[in-house]
Amino acid sequence: MIEGGCLCGQVRFRTAAQPIAARVCWCRDCQAFAAGSGTVNVIFPVEGFEIEGETRDYVSTSDSGNVMHRRFCPTCGVPLFSASEARPALIIARAGALDDPELARPSGTIWTASAPSWALIDETLPKTEGQPPPVG
């Protein structure tokens, strides 16, 4: 079982599914969520993904044109999940919310064209300048 939650513990999640992929994202939205850095995101099937506790939903259109739902804890403000209306079968969990962050070893870096010149990008991982092809 993979589990995680927010900083204050008001929101917890769990799934028996293994991650489909984990990636570092340097899109401008993720840079805002991560206080200037990229985010590490773990993609899971939404089926069987259980969330306990109240989250708030911030809806926006991403650089790719996808309508995104970004959910966070209303108490501590920790970003927890993203979901694209274009891919309703997937949920993206922020790696920092996992109880075991070792599960979030990235397999690639996306939106590198949006990264600042000082970004630390792992040159051993595959890179995509923008939106990658769908996974899962």
Side-chain angles (χ1 to χ4, degrees):
M1 187 67 62
I2 295 173
E3 298 182 285
C6 65
L7 186 60
C8 71
Q10 295 295 317
V11 179
R12 295 289 300 163
F13 63 89
R14 74 187 51 77
T15 183
Q18 289 301 303
I20 295 169
R23 301 185 290 214
V24 179
C25 181
W26 280 96
C27 76
R28 292 294 296 145
D29 288 347
C30 282
Q31 289 178 53
F33 300 135
S37 191
T39 60
V40 180
N41 305 295
V42 187
I43 304 167
F44 292 98
V46 74
E47 185 177 338
F49 196 95
E50 300 173 14
I51 301 169
E52 294 176 2
E54 176 189 1
T55 61
R56 287 285 186 339
D57 187 20
Y58 174 71
V59 181
S60 64
T61 301
S62 67
D63 289 341
S64 67
N66 290 322
V67 175
M68 300 296 296
H69 293 264
R70 303 181 197 277
R71 293 162 62 189
F72 60 95
C73 174
T75 303
C76 65
V78 167
L80 295 164
F81 316 109
S82 290
S84 169
E85 287 186 4
R87 296 178 190 91
L90 303 176
I91 188 165
I92 301 164
R94 304 286 182 229
L98 294 171
D99 288 349
D100 181 3
E102 287 297 320
L103 298 169
R105 183 174 303 276
S107 59
T109 305
I110 63 175
W111 287 96
T112 58
S114 300
S117 63
W118 50 260
L120 299 175
I121 296 175
D122 186 338
E123 294 300 323
T124 66
L125 295 177
K127 293 179 276 309
T128 304
E129 288 189 357
Q131 179 68 30
V135 297

